[in-house]
């Protein structure tokens, strides 16, 4: 309901029709991943896969394997060929959650993907062309990381061709009451308390 949220959704509708690389920024918990899903569902890629990689929680060697795939024998434990998300996504969407956590070598490989739309599986020689859209998510200040030498400047510019910043809830107060109503309805349904609603004093408090 908040004008700030409506502006973000309107921008998402416009961006959804393009295939341009997208960077979604915002604090933790603001719903960056939900916005990425919304953009995917609103656009022509809605019937193609929507795949996500958590760049912060996975070891960097696994991030590369998940992203690019690998050939049998590429590294210890690679007992069979594996397709990566870039290949599996087809013409869909690949979301790189917490893209700021990528190691320098992975940043270099991702830059090539964005520049040439091509890659090779780890340990492989076959060049594969991708059609998927890449969406980066981050709660970090990438420009500051670039200044500090922790993130590649050229990759930053490739990722931020289009940028959407998701404002925190404190910056969109008109969303608080609708969100509270939705959460209460969900909790009531789970616990068999259908029909439970906030009292008027509580609604006034949340609305203020």
């Amino acid at each position: 309901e908040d004008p700030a949220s409506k502006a973000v959704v309107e921008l998402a509708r416009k961006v959804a029709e393009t295939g341009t690389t997208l960077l979604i920024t915002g604090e933790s918990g603001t719903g960056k991943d939900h916005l990425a899903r919304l953009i995917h569902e609103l656009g022509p890629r809605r019937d193609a896969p929507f795949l996500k990689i958590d760049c912060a929680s996975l070891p960097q060697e696994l991030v590369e394997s998940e992203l690019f795939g690998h050939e049998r024998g590429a590294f210890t434990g690679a007992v069979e060929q594996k397709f990566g998300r870039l290949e599996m996504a087809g013409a869909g969407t690949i979301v790189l959650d917490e893209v700021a956590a990528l190691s320098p070598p992975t940043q270099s490989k991702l830059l090539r993907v964005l520049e040439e739309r091509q890659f090779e599986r780890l340990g492989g020689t076959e060049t594969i062309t991708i059609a998927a859209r890449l969406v980066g998510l981050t709660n970090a200040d990438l420009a500051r990381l670039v200044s500090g030498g922790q993130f590649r400047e050229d990759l930053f510019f490739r990722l931020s061709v289009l940028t959407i910043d998701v404002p925190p809830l404190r910056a969109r107060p008109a969303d608080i009451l609708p969100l509270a109503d939705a959460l209460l309805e969900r909790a009531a349904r789970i616990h068999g308390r259908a029909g439970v609603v906030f009292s008027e004093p509580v609604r006034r408090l949340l609305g203020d």
Side-chain angles (χ1 to χ4, degrees), residues 54-200:
D54 190 337
C55 302
S57 66
L58 290 174
Q60 286 305 301
E61 60 271 17
L62 285 185
V63 169
E64 288 199 18
S65 178
E66 286 295 314
L67 194 57
F68 303 108
H70 61 251
E71 299 291 351
R72 180 179 179 181
F75 52 83
T76 303
V79 296
E80 60 184 3
Q81 183 189 67
K82 176 186 175 181
F83 291 168
R85 304 295 176 91
L86 290 172
E87 198 167 350
M88 294 166 58
T93 301
I94 300 171
V95 175
L96 302 175
D97 194 9
E98 296 308 332
V99 68
L102 290 175
S103 67
T106 307
Q107 289 180 33
S108 298
K109 292 181 180 179
L110 181 60
L111 176 64
R112 185 204 166 193
V113 169
L114 293 175
E115 289 178 336
E116 303 177 12
R117 307 296 297 178
Q118 293 180 331
F119 70 99
E120 289 86 34
R121 300 186 198 104
L122 299 181
T125 57
E126 178 188 0
T127 298
I128 301 165
T129 301
I130 72 165
R133 175 187 206 160
L134 270 75
V135 179
L137 311 183
T138 184
N139 61 10
D141 184 343
L142 286 187
R144 182 179 59 80
L145 294 180
V146 168
S147 298
Q150 298 165 279
F151 199 83
R152 292 185 64 117
E153 184 177 23
D154 43 10
L155 177 57
F156 171 58
F157 285 122
R158 286 284 181 177
L159 283 171
S160 59
V161 174
L162 284 172
T163 301
I164 299 179
D165 184 62
V166 184
L169 187 56
R170 64 179 177 276
R172 41 190 176 96
D175 286 342
I176 294 175
L177 184 55
L179 282 171
D181 282 335
L183 291 170
L184 179 62
E185 181 184 3
R186 182 185 303 174
R189 189 168 59 250
I190 291 172
H191 296 286
R193 300 285 302 278
V196 173
V197 296
F198 290 115
S199 66
E200 280 307 313

Side-chain angles (χ1 to χ4, degrees), residues 2-12 22-39 97 135-140 162-172 175 179:
D2 198 276
S5 293
K6 291 180 178 180
V8 168
V9 173
E10 180 59 29
L11 183 55
L22 176 65
L23 181 65
I24 300 178
T25 62
E27 297 177 13
S28 295
T30 52
K32 298 183 292 295
D33 51 346
H34 291 296
L35 182 62
R37 168 68 79 169
L38 175 65
I39 291 170
D97 194 9
V135 179
L137 311 183
T138 184
N139 61 10
L162 284 172
T163 301
I164 299 179
D165 184 62
V166 184
L169 187 56
R170 64 179 177 276
R172 41 190 176 96
D175 286 342
L179 282 171

